[in-house]
Amino acid sequence: MKVLQRVLGAREVLLGACNTGNQTLVSNLCISTILAKPRMDTNEDHPAINNHRALQIWITENLKMLPLPERVHGNFFEECCYVILHSPKAPRGGSRDLHYWIGKETSMESQRAAVTFVQRLQEDLGDQTVLHRESQGHESDCFHSYFHPGVIYRKGGQASALKHVETSLYNVQRLLHIRGRRHVSAIEVALSWNSFNKGGIFLLDLGKVMIQWNGPQTSISEKSRALTLTCSLRDRKRGGRAQIGVVDDENEATNLMHIMEAVLGCRSGSLRASVPNNSVSQQQKVNVRLYHVCEKGTDLVVQELATRPLTQDLLQEEGCYLLDQGGFKIYMWQGRKSSPQDKATAFSRAVGFIQAKGYPNYTNVEVVSEGAESIAFQQLFQAWSKERDGKKHRERNKLKQANVDMGKLHTQPELAAQLRMVDDGSGKVEMWYIQDLQRQPMDPKHHGQLCSGNCYLALYTYQNLGRVRYILYLWQGHQTTIEDTKALNCSAEELDLTYQGALVQEHVTMGREPPHFLAIFQGKLVVFQGRQGSEGNGRKISSNRLFHIQGTESRNTRTMEVQARATSLISSDIFFLFTADVCYLWFGKGCNGDQREMARTVVTVFAGNNTETVLEGQEPPHFWEALGGRAPYPSNKRIGRQRHPEVSSIQPRLFECSNPSGFLVLTEVVFFGQEDLDKHDVMLLDTSQEIFLWLGEATEEKEEAVAWGREYLRTHPAQRSLDTPIILVKQGHEPATFTGWFVTWDPYKWMNNQSYAEVVEGRLEPGSAISEITAEVHNFQLTKHLSDNKAGPSTLLDSKGSQDSPEKEDLELGLNIGGKNRSPNSTSSCSNSVANGNLPRERLMHQAVEDLPQGVDPARREFYLSDSDFQDIFGKSKEEFYSMAKWKQQQEKKKLGFF
């Protein structure tokens, strides 16, 4: 055992530290000084909590915590601390999450103020709150889930800095580095080409012009999500009036590159290489260690209890425990009967442990109380039950035992998901087996008769709401070869191509068949030992074969051949003994009526021999002779079947899969919905009973998907069974067993799929008319000699200075995707009234193209109205108009004379 000792004084002091390999004692290592009492007004009222708001944020300001208005949520100043309270709403309610966020330039005084504020909030909220410590750039997935489309890190943090987040802010010249594939963040960097790299995405923000530069090594998914953040900045900060240009290829985006060079100077040399990805892989998260934290006199002892796999019974309600997940995250668990001292010092103990172990100071900390554990914490254990006495989850038990109306599965996908049944199994079934590495058809008379030495394909066809659906089961026996498995996967891909990618592929391992797979054989699934006959007729049964029958109905019944020995018998189950002369159906003393009724149905598979029913304790001598003689067998224990731990409280978890540096990285999407499924992604949905891998139609990692699912199971801290079914689901072909895990599901969401370029153009055009109109740079005017290669920052002139000097001309910026100019007049001068949108309505309404003022785009003539005229004519603002569907815009323009 490794022991970590600490002495508690007036200020906590760490006396001992341990490393992984051996016991080491180090004296006088101080815990973080943020635990010192802050200099705050002790008479300050407790923070007001609005129970009707899902998200509330406070910021440190002069050693006080001030509430933050919603319009600036997602902006974080580096010199401040923030406290975030999230209260999930129904139907996926649960414990509240309280986050303490530390900026990388935060002062110790601000940290102390935030810690005191968090303690006050905890007093008000009670134990049903999960506490998180977050550090800038290393926040948890739970933290990022609150901020769509991403977070912005801002320089500074004084009171004056908060004023810079107001809407319609144009006096800006900054460069943002946008990072992240799923959880996107942007941080301000030096306004220089030296900040760029080949694998990064950068946003040059000039107020009324925003240029997103995509590195040549960035993925489409990264580009798309970065663009979403860029558009959000434009809409929230500029009222939708800034123009956005996207540089995907510098050689094609010449106009945009000229602007960038005018601001950043001419780039010399090549771009820097991509910054290595520092994402935490699944392999790093696999090792977990549980420590018991207790006081012995004046010493605090941290003693290691167990490593992977952990069990829930290790946590006692009187104690306090620390769980170390490979140095990636630290959990502090408090029992409901733990002392007030333990609860008050849980957070500080975690910080001290991080320092003692030498972990990075940004290591995440999560403090949970008994009964309010997060799902992430629960799934670090082999099994988790809400009932401390080990009783099964009652609601789930009732659901499984109820006589469910299968006709409701089509209209209640949530029921289909929990039962793992798309229908009652009465659809069409076709089967093949792998023989000599080739797919061979099976005689329908022998469907359901499988062999442990073979691989099988079962294609199930059914209808759901008038649409034909398919599930392809890939069944693999325990004695199959690697070559057969490869042939099975190849055959599955061939069938999938035949059905134009419409097959849901479910990988099933012998003994772990899902309920629907069992139901399509009506409970008559029989698995023989050995290999399939050459004609697909199953195994010919020779003398003395013993079969174990398990189940009470068609959804849970399977029959497996076991060794024909007396020791294979289990008193609580039913067995079928085949001999040359007679067959015995053996009922153990512990079996019930449903088991017996189902067993009689299974016996019809072995028709052709006389069947004799035998009760335990009344076996004839021939019965024991066929089993090699009578021998003791377990009378009341179920040791003959393999048990797999399961999480009793069903709550799915959704992850985005990526493989940036050759290892699997999973990013969790907390409080997920259908909108979190992106066509460029591979998403992993873990329901504890099975693993779904959702493939977007544009994803590039289809071949790796199943391997990622197996890697996830292999590296799971709870040591999940590798035989857990893995289901491959494609975008647009999701079964109810998948969609039922989402709160809402729109079956028509995938009908209007667009390419990346179409998505980009569609997002940009309504608000800023990138491809057609022209606009001025509000705070910076560029000289008309912008194309000069020597142009640099000195070519930028203040807009006020330009107005005072008539000889300086404005240069219009007609921006488009990739920086191309579509308007032939986009580089010519035009009057300020055209650029600013102040033309009288008479010059725009009901005018022929040739009669329009110079510089006006005929397709967007309404844009050149003043804001007041636009509101008067259209009855709405420009932002509201351009947010409408394009066909609706066209209708209104035709009706009002602007088409």
Side-chain angles (χ1 to χ4, degrees):
M1 290 288 188
K2 307 174 184 67
V3 180
L4 185 72
Q5 293 184 321
R6 282 189 280 172
V7 176
L8 295 178
R11 301 173 75 177
E12 292 185 336
V13 177
L14 186 64
L15 178 64
C18 68
N19 55 32
T20 304
N22 51 30
Q23 180 176 336
T24 306
L25 296 179
V26 179
S27 61
N28 298 326
L29 177 60
C30 293
I31 292 180
S32 175
T33 56
I34 68 169
L35 302 173
K37 185 178 180 180
R39 294 173 295 176
M40 293 183 62
D41 182 3
T42 56
N43 296 320
E44 184 180 354
D45 292 336
H46 277 218
I49 300 174
N50 187 338
N51 292 319
H52 300 288
R53 289 179 59 185
L55 191 67
Q56 298 173 74
I57 303 179
W58 295 266
I59 183 176
T60 53
E61 182 81 14
N62 295 326
L63 301 184
K64 294 182 180 180
M65 300 299 298
L66 303 179
L68 207 60
E70 284 190 56
R71 69 178 184 274
V72 294
H73 284 185
N75 288 270
F76 294 89
F77 287 95
E78 295 181 340
E79 295 179 8
C80 295
C81 280
Y82 291 77
V83 174
I84 299 97
L85 174 62
H86 179 258
S87 304
K89 295 182 178 180
R92 282 198 183 146
S95 303
R96 289 176 167 178
D97 290 278
L98 185 60
H99 300 259
Y100 158 48
W101 186 90
I102 309 169
K104 67 179 184 180
E105 301 295 336
T106 304
S107 67
M108 298 307 298
E109 290 78 9
S110 292
Q111 294 186 46
R112 290 198 293 266
V115 168
T116 300
F117 186 79
V118 167
Q119 291 173 345
R120 291 181 178 178
L121 279 177
Q122 280 186 295
E123 292 175 1
D124 293 341
L125 297 172
D127 290 338
Q128 297 298 307
T129 304
V130 179
L131 175 62
H132 309 256
R133 187 187 76 153
E134 313 280 0
S135 298
Q136 179 180 339
H138 302 277
E139 297 88 351
S140 64
D141 294 333
C142 183
F143 176 91
H144 279 287
S145 68
Y146 311 143
F147 306 105
H148 295 287
V151 299
I152 309 294
Y153 301 127
R154 305 288 300 275
K155 299 290 186 183
Q158 301 302 319
S160 58
L162 295 177
K163 298 179 181 179
H164 292 295
V165 296
E166 297 295 331
T167 305
S168 300
L169 177 67
Y170 297 113
N171 189 21
V172 175
Q173 187 181 15
R174 63 178 178 173
L175 181 65
L176 298 177
H177 183 191
I178 302 178
R179 290 183 279 191
R181 174 168 170 154
R182 168 61 57 176
H183 299 320
V184 180
S185 64
I187 184 170
E188 188 171 347
V189 294
L191 198 66
S192 166
W193 284 113
N194 293 330
S195 299
F196 288 68
N197 65 75
K198 295 179 181 179
I201 296 177
F202 295 83
L203 176 64
L204 180 60
D205 185 0
L206 301 177
K208 275 201 170 182
V209 176
M210 306 172 77
I211 303 175
Q212 178 177 314
W213 182 93
N214 299 325
Q217 296 177 1
T218 53
S219 67
I220 293 179
S221 178
E222 291 173 313
K223 296 175 184 178
S224 177
R225 292 213 173 94
L227 182 60
T228 302
L229 179 60
T230 299
C231 292
S232 176
L233 286 172
R234 174 199 62 188
D235 297 338
R236 289 189 299 153
K237 310 304 178 189
R238 312 289 152 72
R241 298 194 178 192
Q243 294 192 21
I244 299 175
V246 178
V247 178
D248 272 325
D249 187 330
E250 292 185 354
N251 293 326
E252 295 183 2
T254 55
N255 292 326
L256 295 180
M257 288 304 297
H258 288 327
I259 299 172
M260 294 185 69
E261 289 175 353
V263 178
L264 303 172
C266 186
R267 188 175 70 212
S268 59
S270 58
L271 290 167
R272 293 187 296 115
S274 301
V275 177
N277 190 295
N278 59 355
S279 301
V280 180
S281 69
Q282 284 304 104
Q283 189 62 46
Q284 293 172 270
K285 299 178 183 179
V286 67
N287 294 317
V288 291
R289 294 179 181 274
L290 184 67
Y291 299 85
H292 181 225
V293 182
C294 62
E295 292 185 2
K296 289 187 178 180
T298 58
D299 292 344
L300 187 72
V301 179
V302 180
Q303 186 176 33
E304 183 177 324
L305 291 182
T307 59
R308 173 182 185 248
L310 302 177
T311 55
Q312 186 180 2
D313 57 8
L314 291 169
L315 304 175
Q316 301 299 313
E317 59 185 4
E318 300 86 4
C320 182
Y321 298 84
L322 185 149
L323 194 156
D324 179 4
Q325 189 179 7
F328 157 71
K329 190 168 187 176
I330 302 297
Y331 294 88
M332 288 295 298
W333 185 88
Q334 307 164 335
R336 59 168 56 96
K337 294 183 179 180
S338 59
S339 68
Q341 173 69 12
D342 285 340
K343 294 181 179 180
T345 58
F347 179 73
S348 62
R349 290 172 178 178
V351 174
F353 182 84
I354 289 172
Q355 294 178 343
K357 296 285 284 185
Y359 293 152
N361 57 8
Y362 54 75
T363 301
N364 286 119
V365 174
E366 183 174 308
V367 179
V368 296
S369 299
E370 182 177 1
E373 298 88 353
S374 63
I375 297 301
F377 179 82
Q378 293 177 18
Q379 294 197 6
L380 296 175
F381 293 78
Q382 268 200 323
W384 191 273
S385 174
K386 293 294 184 183
E387 303 290 340
R388 290 296 294 178
D389 58 3
K391 294 180 181 179
K392 293 183 179 179
H393 194 270
R394 295 178 182 177
E395 294 300 323
R396 182 177 173 189
N397 241 12
K398 290 179 181 179
L399 181 63
K400 283 194 168 185
Q401 294 175 2
N403 187 15
V404 180
D405 182 2
M406 291 296 171
K408 296 180 179 180
L409 296 176
H410 294 313
T411 57
Q412 297 181 10
E414 66 280 1
L415 182 63
Q418 295 183 46
L419 292 177
R420 304 166 68 192
M421 299 278 293
V422 295
D423 64 1
D424 60 359
S426 60
K428 178 184 175 182
V429 181
E430 299 176 75
M431 289 197 70
W432 298 265
Y433 67 101
I434 302 299
Q435 183 79 29
D436 298 327
L437 307 183
Q438 298 295 322
R439 184 175 77 248
Q440 305 293 343
M442 282 187 70
D443 189 329
K445 293 185 299 183
H446 300 287
H447 284 179
Q449 300 178 29
L450 313 180
C451 294
S452 63
N454 287 88
C455 295
Y456 296 83
L457 293 163
L459 178 61
Y460 183 77
T461 305
Y462 66 105
Q463 286 198 352
N464 183 11
L465 302 178
R467 182 180 174 185
V468 178
R469 301 272 190 168
Y470 306 94
I471 299 177
L472 180 64
Y473 290 101
L474 289 75
W475 188 92
Q476 184 176 343
H478 284 165
Q479 299 174 345
T480 55
T481 64
I482 296 177
E483 290 75 15
D484 284 343
T485 303
K486 291 180 179 179
L488 176 73
N489 294 327
C490 290
S491 297
E493 289 304 314
E494 291 173 2
L495 283 172
D496 192 42
L497 289 174
T498 302
Y499 286 85
Q500 299 178 335
L503 303 185
V504 173
Q505 299 180 36
E506 183 159 357
H507 294 255
V508 177
T509 304
M510 170 181 163
R512 290 298 301 270
E513 295 84 3
H516 187 260
F517 184 82
L518 299 175
I520 66 177
F521 302 115
Q522 298 302 305
K524 296 182 181 180
L525 175 70
V526 179
V527 180
F528 299 87
Q529 295 294 324
R531 291 187 63 82
Q532 179 80 40
S534 60
E535 297 181 1
N537 296 329
R539 283 294 301 268
K540 294 183 179 180
I541 303 178
S542 59
S543 59
N544 303 345
R545 306 283 289 274
L546 184 63
F547 298 87
H548 184 188
I549 304 174
Q550 306 171 71
T552 58
E553 57 176 75
S554 62
R555 287 181 289 159
N556 63 15
T557 299
R558 64 171 63 84
T559 302
M560 311 284 289
E561 184 177 0
V562 296
Q563 289 186 329
R565 298 176 181 175
T567 53
S568 298
L569 300 175
I570 302 173
S571 184
S572 56
D573 283 346
I574 298 175
F575 289 79
F576 181 79
L577 176 61
F578 185 96
T579 70
D581 302 321
V582 65
C583 294
Y584 298 98
L585 185 60
W586 184 86
F587 293 149
K589 291 180 179 180
C591 65
N592 58 41
D594 290 336
Q595 287 177 283
R596 296 181 184 187
E597 188 65 29
M598 199 65 216
R600 293 187 178 96
T601 302
V602 174
V603 167
T604 60
V605 175
F606 306 94
N609 292 76
N610 296 325
T611 301
E612 180 179 331
T613 300
V614 177
L615 302 180
E616 182 182 352
Q618 302 178 16
E619 302 88 352
H622 182 257
F623 178 87
W624 295 115
E625 291 173 4
L627 294 178
R630 186 163 188 163
Y633 63 91
S635 59
N636 294 310
K637 296 181 181 180
R638 295 171 175 260
I639 65 172
R641 71 187 73 173
Q642 185 179 5
R643 292 292 181 181
H644 299 279
E646 297 173 353
V647 179
S648 58
S649 56
I650 301 179
Q651 185 161 343
R653 300 177 70 188
L654 184 69
F655 302 88
E656 181 206 58
C657 303
S658 60
N659 189 24
S661 302
F663 50 82
L664 176 63
V665 172
L666 295 182
T667 305
E668 184 168 9
V669 183
V670 188
F671 312 112
F672 62 84
Q674 186 184 4
E675 64 277 3
D676 293 303
L677 302 175
D678 188 279
K679 69 178 182 178
H680 303 291
D681 284 341
V682 175
M683 306 297 294
L684 187 150
L685 179 68
D686 181 4
T687 68
S688 80
Q689 296 290 314
E690 51 202 358
I691 302 297
F692 288 93
L693 286 159
W694 183 89
L695 305 180
E697 66 171 13
T699 184
E700 300 174 354
E701 298 94 354
K702 293 182 180 180
E703 295 182 0
E704 296 92 341
V706 174
W708 288 351
R710 293 198 174 102
E711 178 72 4
Y712 172 76
L713 293 172
R714 187 182 67 81
T715 59
H716 198 284
Q719 213 169 59
R720 296 278 291 280
S721 170
L722 299 181
D723 293 336
T724 302
I726 296 176
I727 306 170
L728 210 60
V729 177
K730 298 187 184 69
Q731 179 182 337
H733 301 284
E734 299 85 357
T737 49
F738 177 83
T739 63
W741 294 110
F742 292 76
V743 176
T744 58
W745 187 269
D746 178 9
Y748 304 105
K749 181 177 177 63
W750 316 125
M751 297 299 289
N752 298 318
N753 285 319
Q754 297 176 308
S755 65
Y756 165 68
E758 291 171 334
V759 170
V760 171
E761 191 162 359
R763 288 185 180 181
L764 301 187
E765 185 176 2
S768 56
I770 294 297
S771 58
E772 288 95 3
I773 69 169
T774 61
E776 66 174 349
V777 180
H778 183 74
N779 294 291
F780 309 104
Q781 301 294 332
L782 306 180
T783 69
K784 63 181 180 180
H785 304 293
L786 195 61
S787 60
D788 184 357
N789 290 335
K790 296 183 180 180
S794 61
T795 62
L796 285 170
L797 302 177
D798 184 86
S799 59
K800 184 175 183 297
S802 178
Q803 294 169 2
D804 294 340
S805 305
E807 70 274 13
K808 296 176 181 177
E809 302 180 34
D810 294 342
L811 178 66
E812 285 187 10
L813 304 177
L815 306 183
N816 181 30
I817 309 303
K820 296 180 180 179
N821 285 326
R822 295 187 181 177
S823 174
N825 297 321
S826 60
T827 58
S828 62
S829 299
C830 66
S831 67
N832 284 335
S833 61
V834 173
N836 293 328
N838 292 321
L839 286 174
R841 63 179 73 185
E842 295 79 11
R843 300 194 63 185
L844 299 170
M845 297 176 65
H846 306 291
Q847 296 293 323
V849 173
E850 58 272 16
D851 295 330
L852 290 172
Q854 185 179 7
V856 171
D857 183 356
R860 310 284 295 195
R861 62 182 75 187
E862 76 286 347
F863 182 82
Y864 302 92
L865 292 167
S866 66
D867 290 346
S868 58
D869 282 348
F870 193 99
Q871 181 74 37
D872 182 51
I873 296 172
F874 287 87
K876 58 178 68 69
S877 67
K878 291 181 180 179
E879 288 74 18
E880 292 172 329
F881 176 78
Y882 289 123
S883 65
M884 295 167 49
K886 194 166 184 178
W887 64 271
K888 290 185 178 180
Q889 296 179 29
Q890 302 287 20
Q891 280 188 344
E892 289 204 26
K893 287 162 63 173
K894 288 180 181 178
K895 183 172 63 176
L896 297 172
F898 287 90
F899 191 78

